[in-house]
Amino acid sequence: MKKLLLIAPFALLLTACGTPSVEDLVEDQELLTEVSLECTKLMMEGKDTNTEECKNAALAQKKVVENMTKGLMDQLGN
């Protein structure tokens, strides 16, 4: 548990320093929500959303939906 408490701040700092990857966003739903909301805000303001961060968020959302769909299909036995 102590190791987790030591690692978590460093992981957050690494994420804050660069653009989160698709994998980072899929694993961290709160971060995905935050980035998606920021991209939506930019879009509503008429600003450019053709950024790596917004592209990664869109791909992560697609991946999450695919994972959920696959999980549901597996539960139904298809």
Side-chain angles (χ1 to χ4, degrees):
M1 184 66 175
K2 289 181 181 179
K3 289 181 183 179
L4 180 62
L5 293 174
L6 292 173
I7 294 171
F10 292 112
L12 292 173
L13 287 174
L14 288 174
T15 303
C17 292
T19 302
S21 69
V22 174
E23 292 80 19
D24 293 336
L25 294 169
V26 169
E27 291 176 9
D28 187 346
Q29 293 295 304
E30 288 182 28
L31 180 60
L32 176 57
T33 300
E34 183 180 313
V35 172
S36 296
L37 288 174
E38 182 63 32
C39 292
T40 300
K41 180 182 171 190
L42 290 172
M43 186 180 354
M44 289 178 7
E45 293 173 350
K47 296 180 181 176
D48 184 23
T49 58
N50 193 23
T51 63
E52 185 176 353
E53 190 172 48
C54 290
K55 289 178 186 177
N56 286 353
L59 290 171
Q61 288 173 340
K62 182 179 177 183
K63 179 78 171 170
V64 168
V65 169
E66 287 173 356
N67 291 345
M68 287 174 50
T69 302
K70 183 180 181 302
L72 289 172
M73 295 302 284
D74 288 346
Q75 286 182 352
L76 294 174
N78 291 331

